[in-house]
């Protein structure tokens, strides 16, 4: 999990939010608070700050010739004047230095850059921390690496005396050199460190520290070998504005009361320092804002950028709405959703008209003739106890010869979502459900997610099934795919299934189990769970023997107060055998469907690939482990997995070290991506690195992922149930790209939601105490992994009064 630096401004009212030269390109226009600079640049002759974008023709020509490079822009949230795009050859990222070079592109945009001459490339000091030069602050682990079916379960351990106290003291300056009021007060012999729980940033582009660094760098340039140069570039074109252009933040009056701008505009200051400050027309602002600006000091607003001119440090925007008080859950959540472009509006009436109207809905008689009727089989669901959208059910029937017939039964969502309908369009646009700490923003209307498609017990449901004949060791003897009708006999939670696994011989009392339909007994369900568990263990063992990798990232779960919705406590999700059981069969089904559809339509399969780690970052990590004398083998996913699992003992220190190593190993990892098989020529690139398999897809969660709906349609065509969807490989690839983008956004939103709740928990009931282990050391700060919460924090060393690091 990446650190919850949510953009929370949990500061005491009335403290200044610090001026920063968010948009001060090396002295052209100093910080927005600098009146002289502002009025000069506005009144005087308009001097361009940014370069004009290249023409479309020149761009496509340059990309073809290789003189220009395209990539997705990442702005370092800790140092927002640093940005990067991935190198096309998987080597070290290309560096984009400063706001001017970024040329009005925002985080996540698909940009085209031109390399600068070599003498302007970035020099990397040998001791500089890898994370800084790569600027990857947000981890992109695919769910196959860290488990997607997570129950809530508190964690044991880590309750000894604390090393670091994370205090609920949120200051606003959170740059690497921490010119903030970072308090280092010694209390009872324990150093209290204020660890900020909000977006890193506010680093002056012209802070004294940066100057010193650049001076010392230029002297070293001659001494340093080629290896420590990082290619630098500037943005010349924005191919695709992926960033939503919306931001949450605060309104202020302009500093210069005498400028003509003062009468027309207010200044919007985004909480995300990667977004520029924005002029908004006063007519958008609350009526009494000009007369009583202080009343709005803690009001969170949403602003959308509408334009950003070449001659201005600031963008132009309009105020979309006022959200409410900063630091409160709902306004902050709405801000997060809007910033990441998540559509959380109600479904329109034309979308709802696509749903079956006569309720309660029953399965039409003709479906029974088209489907295999499995209603008599012992089929059940296993989900988190709070889940309402039940996508998948399992069955396990013992055969006379000692083998098993195992079924994975997935909600037949595509039956209810006609291709090309308004419902289909909105689902394709949302592409995924978004899970926040306190609620879900669903991809499909509630009626579908929670009623029609959800595999509730003791009701007839339409499903798409994969059924195997498996040996007890998990060897596949036969497989069948088809549309089915099931009647789940019970809804087990992970806890129920876990207790069945943990007491294989004794009967579980009825009162500890959910209701089971009269056609089946709790013994029958219990036995099925045990058989599935036995096979899953074998499947899993074999996967790791065959070279799969798992990086168990700690995930935080919260207990919420029913009345207020505020977090009361938090704990780490415990990933147990019942989760692993479900995961193994979902993986098996996804792989089976990937092979089936790819064999049938080698040009039109929608698959999921996972590229190997970034070479540059991996090499740096290997070097680090060598220096530390850690016996790590990075030659393959499987080798890495073995190195991490053959831990160095199981004492507390070793477990903490494993936690940190896992965290470090996840940095070079890349995103897993949906793609259309017809658009990628080299089949070696189809592979899934973490799972170490040649073909993989997503089939098992169509209620919450649109990719799975597309895969269902493809599988239906494979089996002759319907025509092949009318999509050329390029059009399917476009949908895959969109699914990837929305999946990324939903992951970020989830992390920010967790961060928000964690910040509020620390603020309301802090200080929380936990041991931490150092991850990396910077010039005036060090990064720690807070062990009990799996949260990463930057801790600043003592900063003396004049803003330079003291002997901390």
């Amino acid at each position: 999990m990446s650190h919850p630096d949510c953009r929370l401004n949990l500061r005491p009212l009335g403290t200044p939010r610090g001026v920063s030269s968010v948009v001060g390109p090396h002295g052209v226009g100093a910080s927005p608070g600098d009146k002289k600079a502002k009025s000069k640049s506005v009144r005087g002759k308009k001097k361009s700050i940014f370069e004009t974008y290249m023409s479309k023709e020149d761009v496509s020509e340059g990309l073809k010739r290789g003189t220009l490079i395209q990539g997705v822009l990442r702005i370092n949230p800790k140092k927002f004047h640093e940005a990067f795009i991935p190198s096309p050859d998987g080597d070290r990222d290309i560096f984009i230095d400063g706001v001017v070079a970024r040329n009005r592109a925002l985080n996540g945009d698909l940009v085209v850059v031109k390399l600068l001459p070599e003498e302007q490339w970035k020099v990397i000091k040998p001791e500089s921390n890898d994370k800084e030069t790569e600027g990857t602050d947000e981890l992109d682990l695919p769910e196959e690496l860290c488990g997607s079916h997570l129950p809530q379960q508190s964690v044991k351990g880590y309750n000894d005396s604390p090393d670091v106290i994370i205090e609920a003291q949120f200051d606003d300056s959170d740059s690497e050199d921490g010119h903030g009021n970072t308090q280092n007060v010694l209390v009872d012999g324990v150093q209290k460190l204020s660890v900020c729980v909000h977006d890193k940033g506010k680093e002056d582009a012209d802070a004294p520290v940066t100057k010193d660094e650049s001076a010392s760098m230029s002297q070293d340039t001659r001494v340093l070998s080629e290896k420590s140069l990082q290619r630098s570039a500037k943005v010349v074109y924005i191919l695709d504005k992926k960033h939503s252009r919306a931001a949450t933040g605060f309104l202020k009056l302009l500093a210069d009361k005498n400028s003509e701008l003062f009468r027309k505009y207010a200044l919007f200051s985004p909480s995300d320092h990667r977004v520029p400050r924005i002029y908004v027309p006063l007519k958008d602002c609350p009526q009494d804002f000009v007369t009583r600006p202080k009343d709005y000091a803690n009001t969170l607003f949403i602003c959308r950028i509408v334009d950003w001119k070449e001659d201005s440090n600031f963008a132009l925007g309009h105020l979309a709405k006022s959200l409410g008080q900063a630091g409160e859950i709902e306004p902050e959540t709405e801000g997060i959703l809007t910033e990441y472009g998540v559509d959380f509006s109600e479904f329109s009436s034309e979308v709802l008209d696509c749903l079956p109207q006569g309720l309660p809905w029953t399965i039409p008689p003709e479906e029974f003739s088209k489907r295999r009727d499995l209603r008599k089989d012992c089929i059940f669901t296993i989900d988190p106890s709070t889940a309402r959208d039940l996508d998948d059910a399992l069955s396990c029937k013992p055969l006379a010869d000692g083998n098993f017939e195992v079924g994975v039964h997935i909600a037949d969502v595509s039956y209810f979502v006609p291709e090309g309908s308004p419902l289909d369009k909105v689902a394709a646009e949302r592409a995924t459900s978004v899970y926040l700490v306190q609620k879900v923003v669903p991809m499909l209307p509630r009626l579908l997610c929670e009623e029609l498609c959800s595999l509730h017990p003791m009701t007839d449901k339409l499903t798409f099934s994969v059924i195997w004949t498996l040996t007890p060791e998990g060897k596949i003897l036969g497989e069948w795919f088809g549309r089915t009708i099931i009647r789940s006999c019970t809804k087990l939670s992970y806890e129920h299934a876990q207790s069945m696994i943990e007491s294989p011989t004794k009967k579980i009392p009825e009162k500890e189990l959910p209701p089971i339909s009269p056609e089946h007994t709790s013994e029958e369900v219990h036995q099925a769970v045990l058989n599935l568990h036995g096979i899953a263990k074998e499947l899993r063992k074999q996967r790791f023997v065959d070279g799969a990798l798992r990086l168990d990232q700690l995930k935080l779960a919260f207990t919420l107060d029913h009345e207020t919705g505020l977090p009361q406590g938090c704990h780490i999700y415990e990933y147990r055998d019942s989760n692993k059981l479900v995961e193994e069969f979902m993986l098996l089904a996804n792989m089976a469907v990937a092979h089936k559809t790819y064999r049938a339509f080698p040009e039109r399969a929608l698959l999921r690939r996972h590229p190997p780690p970034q070479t540059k970052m991996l090499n740096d990590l290997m070097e680090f482990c060598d220096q530390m004398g850690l016996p790590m083998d990075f030659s393959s996913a499987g080798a890495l997995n073995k190195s991490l699992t053959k831990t160095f003992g199981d004492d507390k220190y070793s477990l903490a070290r494993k936690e940190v190593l896992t965290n470090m190993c996840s940095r070079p990892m890349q995103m897993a991506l949906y793609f259309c098989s017809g658009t990628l020529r080299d089949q070696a690139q189809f592979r899934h690195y973490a799972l170490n398999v040649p073909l993989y897809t997503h089939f098992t969660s169509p209620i919450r992922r649109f990719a799975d709906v597309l895969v269902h349609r493809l599988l239906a065509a494979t089996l002759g149930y319907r025509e092949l969807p009318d999509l050329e490989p390029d059009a399917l690839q476009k949908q895959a790209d969109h699914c990837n983008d929305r999946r990324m956004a939903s992951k970020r939103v989830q992390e920010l939601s967790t961060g928000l709740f964690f910040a509020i928990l620390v603020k309301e009931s802090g200080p929380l105490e936990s041991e931490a282990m150092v991850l990396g050391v910077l010039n005036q700060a060090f990064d720690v992994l807070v062990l009990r919460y799996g949260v990463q924090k930057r801790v600043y060393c003592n900063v003396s009064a004049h803003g330079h690091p003291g002997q901390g």
Side-chain angles (χ1 to χ4, degrees):
M1 176 183 138
S2 80
H3 22 339
D5 294 331
C6 52
R7 323 141 354 285
L8 199 59
N9 221 40
L10 296 179
R11 59 206 165 79
L13 283 180
T15 49
R17 288 183 71 248
V19 235
S20 83
S21 54
V22 179
V23 278
H26 314 303
V28 175
S31 73
D34 179 338
K35 302 180 195 129
K36 289 194 296 294
K38 187 171 325 143
S39 47
K40 192 158 64 213
S41 69
V42 171
R43 288 205 198 118
K45 50 185 188 310
K46 294 265 188 179
K47 180 153 114 256
S48 268
I49 291 165
F50 299 109
E51 279 187 24
T52 310
Y53 294 129
M54 273 184 164
S55 71
K56 256 209 171 77
E57 297 72 46
D58 291 353
V59 166
S60 52
E61 184 56 31
L63 287 172
K64 268 208 225 41
R65 287 216 315 270
T67 51
L68 300 177
I69 299 171
Q70 69 171 24
V72 172
L73 184 75
R74 292 197 324 275
I75 303 173
N76 186 349
K78 289 202 180 75
K79 295 183 170 179
F80 51 82
H81 52 84
E82 295 189 349
F84 304 84
I85 69 162
S87 164
D89 54 14
D91 195 39
R92 193 191 276 289
D93 284 342
I94 295 164
F95 179 55
I96 296 153
D97 187 11
V99 178
V100 174
R102 208 152 70 215
N103 204 354
R104 296 163 285 166
L106 298 185
N107 192 55
D109 286 352
L110 183 59
V111 297
V112 176
V113 304
K114 183 180 175 161
L115 289 180
L116 296 170
E118 201 166 320
E119 60 272 17
Q120 294 177 38
W121 289 5
K122 180 182 182 187
V123 178
I124 292 153
K125 290 180 294 188
E127 75 279 6
S128 93
N129 174 316
D130 169 32
K131 243 188 13 249
E132 302 302 306
T133 55
E134 298 301 333
T136 40
D137 202 64
E138 302 170 320
L139 296 183
D140 294 328
L141 297 189
E143 58 194 47
E144 298 85 10
L145 252 178
C146 42
S148 45
H149 289 71
L150 290 168
Q152 296 189 313
Q153 190 54 49
S154 61
V155 71
K156 322 277 180 286
Y158 288 140
N159 44 10
D160 301 275
S161 59
D163 289 350
V164 172
I165 296 180
I166 293 202
E167 265 235 295
Q169 194 252 323
F170 301 86
D171 73 45
D172 211 41
S173 63
D174 194 353
S175 52
E176 193 234 310
D177 38 85
H179 334 273
N181 43 348
T182 311
Q183 301 175 326
N184 281 4
V185 196
L186 284 165
V187 182
D188 307 332
V190 179
Q191 199 171 32
K192 284 210 172 194
L193 296 162
S194 83
V195 178
C196 306
V197 188
H198 98 64
D199 213 310
K200 315 291 198 201
K202 287 279 192 221
E203 166 155 310
D204 272 0
D206 40 18
V209 177
T210 326
K211 280 226 180 72
D212 301 346
E213 278 176 8
S214 56
S216 65
M217 272 174 169
S218 52
Q219 290 147 19
D220 299 345
T221 318
R222 294 180 298 281
V223 192
L224 288 165
S225 64
E226 231 267 305
K227 182 168 118 237
S228 46
L229 278 181
Q230 179 170 21
R231 293 180 296 171
S232 302
K234 61 180 183 183
V235 173
V236 295
Y237 193 75
I238 302 177
L239 273 175
D240 190 355
K241 293 185 172 175
K242 294 261 169 106
H243 188 285
S244 67
R245 298 301 187 269
T248 52
F250 298 87
L251 269 187
K252 309 195 160 97
L253 288 172
L254 291 179
D256 182 1
K257 293 198 170 33
N258 305 320
S259 73
E260 55 265 47
L261 282 171
F262 186 85
R263 288 190 292 283
K264 281 198 283 220
Y265 294 104
L267 189 64
F268 176 83
S269 192
S271 318
D272 179 348
H273 306 301
R274 296 173 295 185
V275 180
R277 301 207 166 181
I278 303 165
Y279 284 133
V280 290
L282 284 174
K283 62 175 188 339
D284 287 4
C285 301
Q287 285 195 318
D288 56 349
F289 171 66
V290 176
T291 50
R292 314 183 52 111
K294 289 227 168 24
D295 291 4
Y296 295 94
N298 200 40
T299 305
L300 212 47
F301 290 93
I302 286 184
C303 181
R304 285 186 188 278
I305 293 180
V306 288
D307 195 10
W308 192 351
K309 301 258 192 278
E310 287 169 19
D311 60 11
S312 172
N313 283 322
F314 301 156
L316 287 168
H318 76 93
L319 217 50
K321 65 187 286 196
S322 152
L323 292 173
Q325 291 300 292
E328 288 182 2
I329 289 170
E330 286 316 313
E332 292 280 355
T333 298
E334 189 175 331
I336 293 170
L337 291 170
T338 306
E339 277 182 38
Y340 281 87
V342 175
D343 178 1
F344 55 93
S345 61
E346 294 299 321
F347 289 97
S348 71
S349 54
E350 63 166 351
V351 166
L352 297 175
D353 288 347
C354 301
L355 303 175
Q357 297 304 309
L359 296 176
W361 180 81
T362 50
I363 297 174
E366 69 268 19
E367 282 306 312
F368 288 89
S369 57
K370 298 181 191 166
R371 293 172 182 260
R372 186 161 158 185
D373 187 347
L374 303 176
R375 287 176 300 169
K376 291 202 165 37
D377 291 15
C378 174
I379 295 176
F380 47 87
T381 55
I382 305 178
D383 284 280
S385 50
T386 52
R388 294 206 295 259
D389 46 359
L390 315 181
D391 279 295
D392 51 279
L394 291 165
S395 60
C396 182
K397 201 189 293 181
L399 301 171
D401 58 6
N403 294 319
F404 297 95
E405 186 179 275
V406 173
V408 166
H409 314 279
I410 305 298
D412 190 357
V413 176
S414 64
Y415 174 88
F416 294 98
V417 183
E419 221 172 320
S421 64
L423 176 61
D424 181 43
K425 291 196 172 85
V426 75
E429 191 46 51
R430 293 192 176 201
T432 179
S433 292
V434 179
Y435 292 82
L436 302 162
V437 171
Q438 78 280 30
K439 61 182 173 198
V440 182
V441 179
M443 173 177 86
L444 293 161
R446 284 236 138 82
L447 178 66
L448 278 192
C449 295
E450 296 177 11
E451 302 294 324
L452 299 172
C453 294
S454 191
L455 306 179
H456 296 303
M458 300 175 239
T459 50
D460 295 356
K461 295 287 174 181
L462 299 179
T463 42
F464 217 140
S465 302
V466 187
I467 299 174
W468 299 272
T469 309
L470 292 175
T471 68
E473 295 73 45
K475 194 166 162 316
I476 298 175
L477 304 176
E479 68 182 358
W480 177 88
F481 299 85
R483 287 194 160 153
T484 47
I485 298 179
I486 67 163
R487 189 182 175 92
S488 165
C489 66
T490 186
K491 176 189 169 182
L492 299 178
S493 68
Y494 282 117
E495 289 73 24
H496 295 137
Q498 189 63 28
S499 62
M500 291 178 173
I501 291 167
E502 284 171 12
S503 57
T505 50
K506 82 175 197 299
K507 178 173 163 29
I508 294 174
E510 302 285 333
K511 63 176 189 300
E512 288 172 28
L513 288 176
I516 294 177
S517 76
E519 293 81 33
H520 301 282
T521 62
S522 62
E523 286 80 5
E524 192 182 355
V525 174
H526 191 164
Q527 195 50 54
V529 169
L530 290 174
N531 293 341
L532 286 169
H533 171 61
I535 300 168
K537 269 203 322 213
E538 293 294 329
L539 286 169
R540 191 177 181 84
K541 193 170 81 193
Q542 195 51 49
R543 276 200 312 115
F544 289 111
V545 167
D546 291 341
L549 164 67
R550 212 185 154 81
L551 293 173
D552 283 308
Q553 295 289 97
L554 299 176
K555 283 207 167 134
L556 271 185
F558 296 89
T559 44
L560 303 182
D561 181 308
H562 283 308
E563 302 289 302
T564 63
L566 287 171
Q568 287 176 312
C570 67
H571 54 267
I572 296 284
Y573 275 134
E574 198 180 346
Y575 196 74
R576 296 156 74 182
D577 285 338
S578 53
N579 302 80
K580 293 174 183 171
L581 178 163
V582 174
E583 184 185 32
E584 283 314 311
F585 291 106
M586 298 306 124
L587 289 171
L588 202 61
N590 286 332
M591 290 187 276
V593 170
H595 283 274
K596 182 81 174 166
T597 52
Y598 180 61
R599 271 199 306 273
F601 303 118
E603 295 287 306
R604 304 279 180 95
L606 181 72
L607 301 173
R608 186 167 167 80
R609 66 192 180 91
H610 182 215
Q614 289 180 357
T615 33
K616 176 72 199 66
M617 292 178 77
L618 197 64
N619 292 338
D620 291 350
L621 184 58
M622 280 160 70
E623 215 168 292
F624 170 79
C625 288
D626 279 351
Q627 287 168 1
M628 301 292 286
L630 297 168
M632 300 287 288
D633 179 351
F634 291 98
S635 57
S636 68
L640 177 53
N641 199 71
K642 283 197 182 68
S643 307
L644 281 170
T645 40
K646 291 201 314 269
T647 343
F648 321 89
D650 54 6
D651 57 293
K652 207 169 71 174
Y653 178 70
S654 301
L655 289 172
R657 192 157 59 165
K658 178 182 177 183
E659 209 58 70
V660 168
L661 263 173
T662 301
N663 187 288
M664 295 179 86
C665 289
S666 50
R667 285 178 203 286
M669 294 302 161
Q670 305 213 53
M671 284 276 293
L673 298 166
Y674 298 115
F675 70 101
C676 168
S677 56
T679 56
L680 199 56
R681 286 285 155 249
D682 177 10
Q683 217 188 314
Q685 295 189 334
F686 289 18
R687 286 196 71 80
H688 196 295
Y689 171 81
L691 295 173
N692 196 26
V693 296
L695 295 174
Y696 189 66
T697 192
H698 272 165
F699 162 76
T700 54
S701 291
I703 294 178
R704 62 184 181 90
R705 293 188 300 228
F706 192 69
D708 303 53
V709 176
L710 293 170
V711 169
H712 275 230
R713 288 174 182 164
L714 208 66
L715 182 61
T718 305
L719 301 171
Y721 287 124
R722 54 161 291 163
E723 292 297 294
L724 184 60
D726 183 22
L727 278 179
E728 288 303 305
D730 286 343
L732 189 55
Q733 182 58 44
K734 256 198 144 55
Q735 291 211 282
D737 290 337
H738 182 65
C739 287
N740 291 330
D741 290 343
R742 295 322 302 160
R743 164 144 189 79
M744 248 327 256
S746 81
K747 235 175 98 112
R748 292 280 169 268
V749 164
Q750 215 167 345
E751 288 163 4
L752 289 168
S753 175
T754 303
L756 167 66
F757 275 78
F758 189 64
I760 287 172
L761 183 69
V762 174
K763 180 170 177 260
E764 298 291 325
S765 58
L768 304 180
E769 300 183 354
S770 168
E771 290 182 304
M773 197 170 204
V774 175
L775 276 166
V777 179
L778 292 92
N779 278 347
Q780 294 124 23
F782 54 95
D783 288 335
V784 297
L785 184 63
V786 183
L787 296 167
R788 187 191 296 165
Y789 305 112
V791 168
Q792 260 189 56
K793 284 283 143 228
R794 179 157 291 180
V795 179
Y796 297 101
C797 304
N798 202 355
V799 177
S800 60
H802 53 89
H804 281 290
Q807 309 303 295

